Structures are given as C-alpha cells and as structure tokens.
Amino acid sequence: MTPLLSIQDLALEFNTFDGSYKAIDHVNLDLMPGETIGLVGETGCGKSVLTRAAFGLVPTPPANITSGSVKFEGREILNLSPAEQRAMRGRDVAMIFQDPMTFINPVFKVGTQLVDAVRAQRRGQVSKTEARDIALAMLDKVHLPNPVRQFESYPHQLSGGMRQRVLIAMALMAEPKLLIADEPTTALDVTIQAQILDLIAELVEDMGISLIMISHDLGVVAQNCGRVAVMYSGQIVEDAPVKQIFDAPCHPYTKGLLGAVPHPLHASEGLKEIPGTLPNLYRPPTGCRFADRCTHATAACSVKRVEQITVADDHRVTCTLFADQHVDA
Amino acid sequence: MLTLNNLCVHFPTKNGLVRAVDDISLTLHPGEILGLVGESGSGKSTVGKATLRLLDVTSGNIVLDGEDVTHATGSGLKPLRTKAQMIFQDPHSSLNPRMTVGRIVAEPLVIHTKIRGHRLTETTAKILDRVGLPSQFLHRYPHELSGGQKQRVAIARALTVDPDMLILDEPTSALDVSVQAQILEFLKELHAERPRMTSLFISHNLAVVRYLCHRIAVMYLGKIVEEGPVAAVFSNPCHPYTKALLSAVPLPQAEQNDSRIRLEGDLPSPVNPPTGCAFHPRCQVAVAGKCDVEPPNWVDLGNARARCHLIEEQAE
Amino acid sequence: MSLETSSKNNGLMDKRSNRISVLAPVSEVDRFREYRRMWATFRKSYSSMAGLFIVATFLILAAVGPSIVPFPEDALGSIHLERKLQPPDATHWFGTDEVGMDIYSRVVVGARTTLWIGVTITGIAILIGVPLGLLAGFGNIWVRESIMRVTDVFLSIPGLILAIAIVGALGPGILNAMIALSLVWWPGYVRLVQSKVLSIRNETYVEAARSIGASDFRIIFLHILPNCMSPIVVKASMDMGMAILGAASLGFLGLGAQPPYPEWGAMISIGKNYLPDWWWYTLFPGLAIYFTVLGFNLLGDGLRDMLDPKQRS
C-alpha cells in the first residue's frame, strides 16, 4: 500500500539574525491511509514546523528547505506552485489549530464564513441555500448545540469549545483525506478537551480520515492516536505504535518524557527530571542531539550522526544503543 | 496557617454581578499543600489573588497566621506581603523585562529590609543558588532566559523574604513537561526542608495536584464542591463533578479508561449561575425538583467533605 | 568581588554545584546581542539611515556652526548694504539678503537656534505630559477623568491656532513662541503615556510587584515608566521635527523670532517679499527646515521599527 503522506529526509532551516537555525533535521515519516499518528515533543522540537513545512505553510524566506521530499498520495508536493499547494490544502488536507479565534474572522457571522468556505471549496458550483444546508449539516455532525442559532452568532459569542467545533466543521467540510490537528485542545478545559477529543476520534473514524495530532500532552496522544512519533530538537527520535511507546519505550528521551509526567490517578514516586537543556540548533551537535542530557550516553554517541534503526515491526528508534537490535521489517 | 472564612469576591460588570468567588471557606494547616482545582472561570485564581489582597474582598475574611488581614491597608499589609508570596502562571510576563535578574530577586529585600550594597548582592546570589541558578544570572535580563529559568527567578523572588505561605497560581502550566518536573521536584524539596512552608497550589492539571498536594479542593462556578485528602478524593471521588473531571483526564498510558463520564455543554456564565446546585445542568445524576431548586449543603465524610444532594441523601 | 567570596564561603553552593551545572549550563550570552539586532534592523532601512545622517549633520552644524561659517558676524545682524541681494556665488554660497548678510552663514548658525527650539519645546512637553500621563493611567477614576478631559480640550483645538493665540497674548518673540508651543504640545504625551500605562498596569509583573509589597511610587517609576520609554523616545524624535516646523511657522507669521535673529522661519518670512526674483533668500532656509523635519521624522520611523518591531505593518 502506498502511504498517504510520505515525508523523506526533510530538512529545514530558518535564516535569522543569529545565523541559520536548523529546525528540522532529516526527518522521515510515513502515514498510511486511515492511520492516526501523534507527534509529541516539547516546545521548539519542530513538531508544528514539520507539518507546516510539509504543506508549504512555512514562509520561505526566512525558512529554507534544504533537502527532502514530501509525497502526498505518491505526488511530490514540495515543488508544486503556491496556488496548487493552496488548492491541495483546501481539498485534501485540512488543519485545525490551538487557538480557533485566530482562524475565524471576528467581524463576520459564523454562518457567513461557513457558507463562504463551502462555496470556495466547491468552486461556486453550489447556491447560497445549498451551501447553507451543507454547512448546517456539518455543524450538526460536530454536535454544535443549536446550529441554526449559532449560524447567526459572531465568533466571540461562542465559547472556546464551540469555536473549536466550528473550526473542525469548516476543516472537514471538503471531506479531506488528512486532518492535521495542531494542539487542538491545549487552550481548553479538561472536560471540554474530552468532548473535542472524542469528537475528533468519532469524525476521523466515520469519515475515514487520516490524522496527525500534534501535542505536548502524552495523554492526549495516547487517547486519540494509533501511532506516536516522539520529536526532539528537530528529529523524530522514536516512532512506534502507541502501545509500544507507553509499554516498551526504547529511546532514553521517550523514557524521560514518560517519567517526567505525574500520573493523574495514582501517586507517583518522584518524577524523573531530564537534566540539562535543549541543544543549540544554530550549531547542532554532530552526533546524537540528546547525548548531552542522556544518562546512557557513551563516547560513541557524539561522534557521528545516528541513523534511524528499526527495532521491531513498525518501531523505529534513532539511538546508537539499539544498533545491534536492528531487524529488517 | 491560612484560613478563609466565607470569602466572597464579586465584580460588577456591564452584564451584571460576576460572583467569581462565592462563599468559600478553606483552612490550610502549617506545612500543608492544598491543591485548588477547577476549570477556567471557576474562580480558583481569584481566590489566590484575593488571599493576597491583590483584589478587593467583597465579604468574608482572610486570617493569615492568626492575623486578620482582610481589611489591612498601608503598613498593615506588611505582614501579608512578607509572610505570603505568589508565583504566577506565566513566567514570561511576571518578570519586568527592563530589570536584571539580580534586581528582580532583590526587590522584596529592598522594599522590606535595610540590606543594601554588597550584602544585598550576596543574599540575592545565595537565593538564586537555592533555586538552582548560578550567580552569573544576576546580570541577565529575563529575555535571555528560558521559561524554566524564568520561573526559577520568580520562585527566587518569592523566597527572598522567607515566606511561610506560597500561593502558586498554575506555576507549571506554561512550561514543558521536563521543566515542569524540575519545578515540581524543587517545590517538593522546599517543603521537605521547611516544615512550616504552606502552599496553596492553584491548577487545572489534576496530575500535578495528585503528585504534589496533600489535600485537594475542587471548585465549580465560584464554589468549592468537594474537599479532602488527595489520595481519598482521587481514588474515591464523591461529587459528580469531581468524578467527571477525573475521568476526563487523558491518561499517559496505552489503555484508556472505557467507562468515562462525559460532561455535556460548557461552564455556565458566572453572571447568571444556575439555581440550586450550580452543577445541575451538566450533572448526569441530577434529581429534578431537588438539585435545580435548593443549593446543597456540606456533607461531612470523615476527613473529606462534599456538597451534593445525592451524597446528602446517602448519608441520611 | 563579593560574589566570589560568597560562593567560596557557602558550603551549600559547593555541595550543589554539580547539580546546578547540569540544570542550567551557563551558555555564553552575547551581552550586546539585543543592541546588535536593533542596529541591524535599523541599518536595513535606507530611510532610517538617511534620517540618522540628516539629524547627525544637523547636530554637528548646531554644535560647530558659528565657528565654521565664513561670515559669523552676519548671523548677528551686521549690515553690508554694498553686497545686498547677491545671487549665490563662490563667496556667498547661498547668496546674500536685503542688507547684505551672508545667507549661508545665517542658515548654518540658525541650526543651533532651531535645535534649541526643538529640544525646549519637546522637553517641556515631555516634562508636563509624561507625569500627567502616568497619573492619569495609574490614578483612580477621578484623577484619570479630570486629566484626560482637560487633555481632550487641548487636543480639540488646532495646536498652531492655540499657539498663535497664546503668543498673541504674551507678545511676539522667540521665547514666547516656545512657551506657547510647549503649552500646546504636551497633551499628545499624556494620551500616549496614559494608554501605555493602562496596558502595562495589567501586566503580571506589576501584579507581582504589588504582591511583594511595592509602593505605588515604586511601581510607577521602576516597573511602569521604564517600559513606556520606547514610544516616548519615538514620539520625541518625531516631535522634534514637528516642533521645529511649528516654531518656523510662528516665525514666518512674525510671532516668533524677530529679525535679524538667525531663525529659519523668520528668514523665510522676510524673504517671501523678495520672491520670485531673489529666490535664494527663501529657498535655502526653506530647504534647511525641510531636511531637518524630514530627518527627524525618518529617524523617528526608524527608531519605532527598531524598538517596537510588533508595531510595524
């Protein structure tokens, strides 16, 4: 089966006043149709930049894609024209973000914006009333209470959870093949977060959409994704099915992340701190980027670039400790 | 150490009176860490700010270390300002961008003591060291620091006057998990070293509260709905809201909890709170004719207490 | 320094130093990075650099003007009727006026007058406006309302007209013109500072300062004022140009500096009677005003981009 999205060897740097900041370092990521994958990592690890860069949403300059290819359904998309990329984003790929208010125009009614979105996506082939029906059906699908009334509201009159529902409706109206959710619930309260996560899971399942969920919260990813890719300073350090990530993590950074979060329901014995700070990405280390903070690091770790190693079926780790456990998948 | 008696904080707004904090009573014993949890708009931050008199209290009183500070003004506020300190959520905005770390940390000493010059720098360096920052940081500006380092500076500033009471308003929610772990460990260590240190830990993150706190109080729409030792409340929540809140947390593990309680709808407006029990419109076990009419009373459950009609009935 | 001794004497630090070095490695922070970044932003813009160049030239002329001009005595009003109204040539670069004074000398010496006018007007406006703005932003509703409504009254009357009225009452003269212009200039600063204070007083660091017991005085001067400085500097730079223009306008109307005082506006005022045949009489002082005002405005724009990148469109 060909992957829906295949990111190969993607590298990106930002040219800034202080020099070039190597934000994404030769990342590989495949996403099969219908698969749900969670991208986790801390601030500055490049998880948002990665998905944005893949779909031409990072302005160049200051960014500069130095190598790699991104194929969507087998078609290279990095060298598409901006207009073609835009068309693809409207049709095949949809995105939702942390702060819905940034992506909804505050001066227009919710309904007006939805109708406009429908008509833009269908290239004006639908009348206003048809568009309205489609939009209302979509609002119903995202379980927005009282869709007819909310149609006439302004975005600021909706609560955060309702806005996120509207944004999801808008994103899924064109029936995309891939949904990218960038920290969709970070700004929301836990009970509302639970509603939105359930909604995303339900829609992804019903519509057969693939999902990339970007989050800093391991719990959110565990709940909604089948696979997890852990990112650390511009690299994917571990990529495995969700069960393996939580039950048998390999990379020391993944273990560190898991040890650093207290469990919500039982008493935890003391948290494991990850010592040190992030490497300087203006002058990244030649070897493993985590070596400075890693308790298992050996001299070999800092010598040369660490390659991705397949340790089990669908389980890849970027760590020298597993060099001898390589299996051919 | 700290007692809040029937504390109310109301704000007049264009749309009516917001009862941000409505009749809250809490007691914190010396050495205790009390977690105050709730969703945004529940009034938990308002409790913290009102306790430090950063907001005007509408009624009720605040007793800190045996002293009523509810209406203290001018120099009468000094005991409050030296005994109790606050740490804010966003370390990026809680430090003055135009002051060096040294001046930020030294400021409480400059205000409250006569220490100046060499001794001031020395004391400041010692406090910075205490929070794990080398003295080179004295001359840095906040924008040169990472989020975790900034929060350490904020903690250092709070510790300069040797407070017995800390009000921690979501001190880790703007930080990454690995930095959060460092700060939580530090706070735990601090409490272990100083038996009199008492903290009010305000958070929406239940996992963090479970980890750090001894007791927990759950707030909903300006009222406390359940209070008790963390172990008891987390393993056996009584109030339906606490139950829902706990089951809404996504677990960092592969198997998720299947029998989850899902709350419908949003938090009602605090301008116009529901009658009776404020939680009844979202409550799945609410009894019509009872929960929507009269406000529930506190039910004593040994070392815990909850405010719900159903528990009241069970207790009878 | 005391820090080193304290770290030596402090056993706690030695014991913990291992852990500290792991937690917070001291990376070499470039102390001047922020300034270099600001300078790089500033340098990128040609107009900012042009503004800086013009203003620098103007300041140099104001400093050394009287000692570099060929006929310094002409600036003070010496009369040489034998060479009156001569067109520009090698001796008199900008020509001469109706009593034979060298216009080049007068324009260059006038730079000092102009600088003095600009600095005084802007300075007085800041001295009145900034404290009032701080009070209005920080005080209670009554203080705020009374200051802001008075400010509104001043802002609702066109500045120059009000200045003319004030000079009319005080009598013409350069000092009175400056007093009049200062009196109409401060409301802008009140507005600016008040709105800035209103936003800064809600910052968490101000709340944090209150929570550690800082007095209002301390909060205003240590926490709020330093964070309002960049817009004040930007506005002051722009206002230098506008104040110079205002003073020149009063001079042109005969209400400011009186001839033969070397002030550009006053020179144009007399020179206009000799237009168009003796064009150099008005052209050169006019160009001097034009470039100075332009320079301060470009500099102000550049400073704004440099100090407050967020405000850029």
Side-chain angles (χ1 to χ4, degrees), chain A residues 87-159:
Chain A
M88 198 190 68
R89 286 200 297 268
R91 195 180 55 234
D92 298 328
V93 183
M95 293 191 170
I96 52 177
F97 301 92
Q98 175 176 346
D99 182 5
M101 212 49 197
T102 330
F103 297 90
I104 305 181
N105 192 330
V107 299
F108 291 112
K109 287 179 184 164
V110 169
T112 318
Q113 296 188 56
L114 284 168
V115 168
D116 284 351
V118 176
R119 300 193 65 184
Q121 279 158 359
R122 315 265 156 124
R123 303 273 151 78
Q125 285 160 2
V126 286
S127 73
K128 269 208 166 138
T129 33
E130 281 169 321
R132 188 186 150 89
D133 290 342
I134 296 172
L136 276 174
M138 201 61 222
L139 286 185
D140 201 45
K141 222 169 173 174
V142 298
H143 310 305
L144 188 77
N146 245 322
V148 182
R149 209 187 77 205
Q150 307 303 2
F151 224 67
E152 297 301 315
S153 327
Y154 287 93
H156 69 91
Q157 294 169 313
L158 305 182
S159 70

Side-chain angles (χ1 to χ4, degrees), chain A residues 42 159 189 191 195 198 271, chain B residues 39-40 178 185 262-263 266:
Chain A
E42 298 181 278
S159 70
D189 284 313
T191 57
Q195 295 171 3
D198 284 354
L271 303 176
Chain B
E39 297 179 273
S40 52
S178 62
E185 283 299 314
R262 284 287 182 256
L263 287 185
D266 290 314

